[in-house]
Amino acid sequence: MDSFELNKIIAAILMVALLIIGIGKLSDVIFHVEKPKTPGYSVEIEQATVVSSQTSSEPTEDKVDIAALIAMGDIASGEKVFKKCAACHSIVKGGKNNIGPALYNVVGRDVGAVDDYKYSKALAAYGKAWTFEELNGYLLKPAKWIKGTKMAFAGLRKEKDRASVILYLNQNSDNPLPLP
């Protein structure tokens, strides 16, 4: 290939590039679009004001119909969901504490009541018992329910999963509590 052929190829590439740039400039002149002063869309929303009369440090509880919630669950499903918990907790009678305390007989027991387990200060000072309602709130999001807990579990979002785990925990007890 001689230099004349190479010059024709380079000239053709340059002509195509100039043609593309020229068509872009020409279309900008023909189809002029005014750009908005501020980019994006304005979304109008109503301002909702929330007035809270509670100023306590206790978690705000939404009233949950615990009987209806418990009715959603089943023990077999709770056993499957509990496998997430089994990484840190044991559920067998006489089971030892792992990363978390043993959970046999947990339903109805006082929070922070296992003697040979070192609880966080928040759990040790909580002063309530593990009722169905407390377990439901705690299993939803532990760190939000009891602020300062060491438990780094994200929680169970599905109501059916929480109800099933609560039923499973209640079953694994010497004296299961009567269901609401």
Side-chain angles (χ1 to χ4, degrees), residues 26 68 76 92 99 109 117 129 148 152 156 158 164 175 177:
L26 184 63
V92 295
I99 295 171
R109 178 172 75 197
Y117 183 76
L156 299 171
K158 296 180 183 173
S164 298
N175 298 314
L177 294 179

Side-chain angles (χ1 to χ4, degrees), residues 21-153:
I21 292 171
I23 290 174
K25 294 290 183 185
L26 184 63
S27 67
D28 284 345
V29 170
I30 294 172
F31 304 106
H32 179 71
V33 177
E34 285 189 36
K35 294 184 178 175
K37 293 176 184 170
T38 57
Y41 295 100
S42 165
V43 179
E44 295 183 22
I45 57 170
E46 278 188 39
Q47 289 286 40
T49 57
V50 177
V51 178
S52 177
S53 62
Q54 291 181 338
T55 57
S56 67
S57 62
E58 301 230 353
T60 57
E61 296 180 32
D62 294 333
K63 293 297 178 191
V64 175
D65 184 8
I66 200 67
L69 180 80
I70 295 295
M72 285 188 217
D74 68 287
I75 294 171
S77 176
E79 187 174 4
K80 289 178 187 171
V81 176
F82 186 80
K83 289 180 181 175
K84 295 177 185 178
C85 310
C88 299
H89 298 278
S90 74
I91 191 71
V92 295
K93 184 174 183 174
K96 64 179 182 129
N97 297 323
N98 294 330
I99 295 171
L103 295 180
Y104 190 81
N105 276 335
V106 73
V107 181
R109 178 172 75 197
D110 288 337
V111 176
V114 175
D115 293 330
D116 57 343
Y117 183 76
K118 184 171 174 24
Y119 287 96
S120 63
K121 290 178 184 176
L123 274 173
Y126 194 60
K128 293 185 180 181
W130 286 121
T131 61
F132 294 118
E133 293 85 2
E134 283 293 319
L135 282 168
N136 180 53
Y138 190 71
L139 289 174
L140 178 63
K141 186 144 180 82
K144 186 177 179 185
W145 191 257
I146 301 176
K147 295 193 183 332
T149 183
K150 292 189 297 186
M151 188 161 151
F153 180 62

